Amino acid sequence: QWNQFVVLVTLIAFLLAVLMWYIYRFNRSVILLEQYKNAIDDSMIVSKTDRKGVITYVNPNFVAVSGYDEEDLLGKPHSIVRHPDTPASVFKEMWSTIRKGKNWQGVLQNRTKAGKSYYVQSLIAPIVDENGEILEYMGLREDITEIENSRLEAHEAQRIKAAFVANMSHEIRTPINGIVGFVHLLSKSHLDAVQRRYVSIIESSLESLMHIVNDVLDFSKIEEGKIELDIVECAPKAPLDAVYELFSPQAGVKQIDYTLVMDDRLYGCLMLDMLRIKQVISNLISNALKFTPEEGAVTFKIEVVEDTASHQMLRFSVIDTGIGIPKEKQDKIFEKFTQADVSTTRQFGGTGLGLSIANAMVSLMGGVLRVHSEEGKGSTFSFELNAQKCDTFQETAAALENDSLNTAAVPLSMSILVADDYEINQMLIGELLRYHYGIQADFAHNGEEAVERVRHHRYDLVLMDINMPVMDGIEATRIILSEDPTLTIVALTANVLEEDREKFQRAGMKDCLMKPLDLDALHQVLMHVHDIREKE
């Protein structure tokens, strides 16, 4: 009996020890769980709802942020804090996810009791029983209102900047259009040697001014991510030779040994964005000529560094014997508004955007713009592009097409309406049409006047400005085409962004002529309309 008693007491002691250990672990778990809960409650916005979305619990942070009392929230649908601007599709997708027992994460815009917006980074988690059945939903949220407002403010600032750039583009290009056009007409008149030299200086200055304007616009588009590639079949030799020839006069003035070295293996047809390549090369050659002293040397080199059955790897290089760039400043020259030396801007001019834009363009095309330079000895800028070979390009047809733009225009029997509120532009376009084509155009000072003129006269073509008083060109185009869908309307504008072109196309305009007016582009439009009329 004594032995049995000892065994019983030992067993009871053991069981009590085990029970005490479990009680200790349970209490410890409860304490830890309480600490976790307190940590979450202190740092996050917490709520629980039943399976139908009715609120069953909110923590003090939820009450503080939402502005509702706890009594206002309990028993109410969670949509009590939903902001009406949040799309219904967001909540549809959220419920679809959590009803499957999965967590949902996202940013939600909510509304306080006072009607003020606030933003939360949310995690909605289903709480399930031992059988996997959903009992309720727990929401853990972090207030990111300050971050989100900063993001929205930055986005709005970007939008305002884009609108400002577009407006400034219009305001700058409109008067430049008049200057460029009348200088062109002046150059065609009888001038003595001194007058011709003055006109040449004006044209050169205008070219520099337009280069600066285009740099600013391109930089703005790059920052907004709105630059897109247009990779098409092209015969690269002719345009590369043309961009080289473009700078021959500038090189001649400084007596620079200006050379083009083009690899004979360059394929006749390649898939390239030749417009962007020419833009980059033009920038590099312009810089090389600018920073190379008289009687120096500049070489534009195109090499085939790899040639396969389907592709060619091309290396474009511009090599000069100019002032060079110090080693410690070579890493910074591709940054915006940066030149190697502060005095460079005063001595040589420029916006400090050219290399930044060229670098962005090359990156967009899949290459890397590199520089190798020694101070006082010169610089080499180079980049490589992998180009796909294409079918034989019809170089002859392309050459004929280009030649047709440069041939002297012939008189055309056409009826044209020009809608533009800027009187100098009216005078310019009228003179260009009369001088080159013998066309006496009609004019309208705003969109409303253009609509009335079209109603009372049959025109072959309407050149429509966009920014006009009373009625703008977009609205006027829509009204005119609703009454006469067959009429050809072409935008004549300083709004040069890609989204502007898309807007003109949606309004029904057939083409777009940019200010300052390109005579070749005008010729193309006139000949296209003339051909259509002849077929009719």
Side-chain angles (χ1 to χ4, degrees):
Q1 290 179 348
W2 174 253
N3 290 339
Q4 290 176 350
F5 175 75
V6 170
V7 171
L8 181 61
V9 170
T10 303
L11 180 61
I12 291 172
F14 175 76
L15 291 175
L16 285 173
V18 171
L19 180 60
M20 291 298 293
W21 182 79
Y22 272 109
I23 291 172
Y24 167 75
R25 290 300 300 266
F26 177 76
N27 285 338
R28 188 169 182 271
S29 297
V30 169
I31 291 170
L32 289 174
L33 187 61
E34 188 67 23
Q35 289 178 5
Y36 294 150
K37 177 181 179 298
N38 290 339
I40 292 172
D41 271 338
D42 288 344
S43 61
M44 303 198 74
I45 301 166
V46 183
S47 68
K48 290 197 296 184
T49 69
D50 64 17
R51 296 174 61 183
K52 294 182 179 179
V54 175
I55 298 173
T56 58
Y57 169 80
V58 291
N59 74 335
N61 283 343
F62 196 110
V63 172
V65 171
S66 69
Y68 288 94
D69 294 330
E70 186 176 349
E71 295 75 19
D72 296 332
L73 295 167
L74 295 179
K76 299 290 179 21
H78 209 290
S79 58
I80 189 173
V81 295
R82 180 187 299 182
H83 196 286
D85 290 348
T86 305
S89 59
V90 172
F91 298 102
K92 183 178 180 181
E93 189 265 335
M94 181 189 73
W95 277 105
S96 174
T97 300
I98 61 178
R99 280 173 177 157
K100 295 174 184 175
K102 299 178 181 178
N103 293 344
W104 180 89
Q105 295 186 64
V107 175
L108 292 175
Q109 180 182 11
N110 288 340
R111 184 169 61 175
T112 66
K113 185 177 182 179
K116 186 178 178 181
S117 292
Y118 67 96
Y119 295 88
V120 289
Q121 177 71 47
S122 301
L123 168 66
I124 313 298
I127 307 299
V128 300
D129 62 17
E130 63 275 7
N131 298 317
E133 294 293 325
I134 296 173
L135 299 174
E136 58 184 354
Y137 300 107
M138 175 174 283
L140 302 176
R141 302 171 182 84
E142 181 183 4
D143 188 353
I144 59 167
T145 303
E146 187 174 342
I147 297 172
E148 189 65 15
N149 283 340
S150 296
R151 187 189 69 80
L152 293 173
E153 286 172 7
H155 180 76
E156 178 64 10
Q158 192 73 8
R159 186 196 66 78
I160 292 171
K161 188 186 80 171
F164 171 78
V165 170
N167 185 59
M168 287 305 298
S169 165
H170 178 269
E171 294 302 322
I172 293 171
R173 284 171 177 270
T174 296
I176 289 178
N177 180 58
I179 300 170
V180 170
F182 279 110
V183 167
H184 165 77
L185 290 172
L186 183 61
S187 68
K188 301 295 183 183
S189 62
H190 298 290
L191 303 173
D192 59 35
V194 174
Q195 291 169 332
R196 196 164 296 282
R197 176 170 170 269
Y198 289 166
V199 169
S200 175
I201 292 171
I202 294 171
E203 288 177 326
S204 177
S205 299
L206 284 171
E207 184 179 340
S208 298
L209 178 59
M210 283 309 303
H211 185 72
I212 293 171
V213 171
N214 290 333
D215 271 0
V216 173
L217 290 172
D218 283 339
F219 175 71
S220 175
K221 288 190 283 185
I222 288 169
E223 280 205 320
E224 294 178 53
K226 293 183 177 179
I227 291 283
E228 294 182 0
L229 295 180
D230 184 21
I231 298 176
V232 296
E233 291 185 2
C234 68
K237 295 181 181 179
L240 290 174
D241 185 68
V243 75
Y244 163 78
E245 289 294 342
L246 182 65
F247 293 92
S248 290
Q250 187 177 338
V253 169
K254 296 178 72 174
Q255 297 181 328
I256 287 174
D257 183 11
Y258 184 46
T259 310
L260 171 64
V261 178
M262 190 180 298
D263 198 320
D264 292 336
R265 295 174 297 163
L266 186 62
Y267 199 66
C269 178
L270 294 172
M271 300 292 294
L272 293 166
D273 187 339
M274 188 51 69
L275 177 63
R276 299 301 178 198
I277 292 174
K278 287 165 62 178
Q279 188 174 358
V280 172
I281 295 298
S282 295
N283 185 285
L284 297 180
I285 294 177
S286 176
N287 275 354
L289 293 173
K290 182 194 298 184
F291 296 116
T292 298
E294 291 188 2
E295 300 184 356
V298 172
T299 301
F300 172 33
K301 193 174 184 179
I302 306 107
E303 303 169 84
V304 177
V305 295
E306 186 180 319
D307 196 356
T308 68
S310 59
H311 288 77
Q312 278 193 337
M313 179 68 77
L314 308 178
R315 180 184 295 137
F316 301 88
S317 306
V318 176
I319 308 155
D320 67 62
T321 60
I323 61 176
I325 305 165
K327 287 269 186 200
E328 66 275 10
K329 296 182 179 178
Q330 290 179 18
D331 292 338
K332 298 181 178 180
I333 60 170
F334 296 127
E335 296 177 6
K336 57 191 178 185
F337 305 114
T338 300
Q339 293 185 329
D341 194 291
V342 176
S343 62
T344 302
T345 303
R346 293 194 298 269
Q347 185 176 354
F348 297 100
T351 60
L353 288 174
L355 285 178
S356 174
I357 292 168
N359 186 43
M361 295 290 187
V362 172
S363 297
L364 194 64
M365 291 185 286
V368 177
L369 183 57
R370 296 182 172 89
V371 58
H372 174 76
S373 182
E374 290 186 50
E375 194 171 6
K377 294 185 177 181
S379 305
T380 298
F381 286 85
S382 64
F383 61 95
E384 295 180 359
L385 296 178
N386 193 21
Q388 181 182 339
K389 293 179 178 178
C390 48
D391 296 334
T392 304
F393 190 81
Q394 301 298 320
E395 293 190 54
T396 305
L400 288 174
E401 181 181 351
N402 289 332
D403 287 344
S404 69
L405 301 181
N406 297 318
T407 54
V410 294
L412 297 175
S413 177
M414 296 176 65
S415 182
I416 296 177
L417 173 66
V418 178
D420 197 310
D421 63 309
Y422 195 55
E423 190 170 345
I424 292 177
N425 279 343
Q426 289 188 6
M427 293 170 58
L428 169 63
I429 297 166
E431 285 297 309
L432 289 174
L433 291 174
R434 183 190 61 78
Y435 181 86
H436 288 288
Y437 303 97
I439 297 173
Q440 296 291 337
D442 289 341
F443 298 94
H445 292 84
N446 55 64
E448 186 175 84
E449 192 175 321
V451 171
E452 288 301 314
R453 285 188 174 275
V454 169
R455 283 172 177 164
H456 295 92
H457 186 84
R458 175 65 187 177
Y459 292 101
D460 299 306
L461 171 67
V462 176
L463 298 177
M464 183 75 75
D465 189 22
I466 301 301
N467 297 339
M468 294 185 290
V470 185
M471 181 186 293
D472 64 39
I474 297 289
E475 182 62 25
T477 296
R478 291 191 178 118
I479 294 173
I480 290 171
L481 293 180
S482 69
E483 298 176 3
D484 183 2
T486 63
L487 182 57
T488 300
I489 301 178
V490 172
L492 178 63
T493 179
N495 297 0
V496 296
L497 300 180
E498 189 60 34
E499 56 263 36
D500 293 323
R501 288 177 174 271
E502 294 171 1
K503 190 194 307 179
F504 306 154
Q505 190 175 16
R506 287 195 300 270
M509 295 180 175
K510 295 295 189 291
D511 208 337
C512 180
L513 294 174
M514 296 299 182
K515 297 175 183 177
L517 190 58
D518 185 305
L519 294 180
D520 286 346
L522 175 62
H523 179 77
Q524 270 189 318
V525 167
L526 293 176
M527 295 309 297
H528 178 68
V529 174
H530 181 264
D531 290 344
I532 291 175
R533 198 187 64 173
E534 288 295 308
K535 290 176 182 178
E536 293 174 350

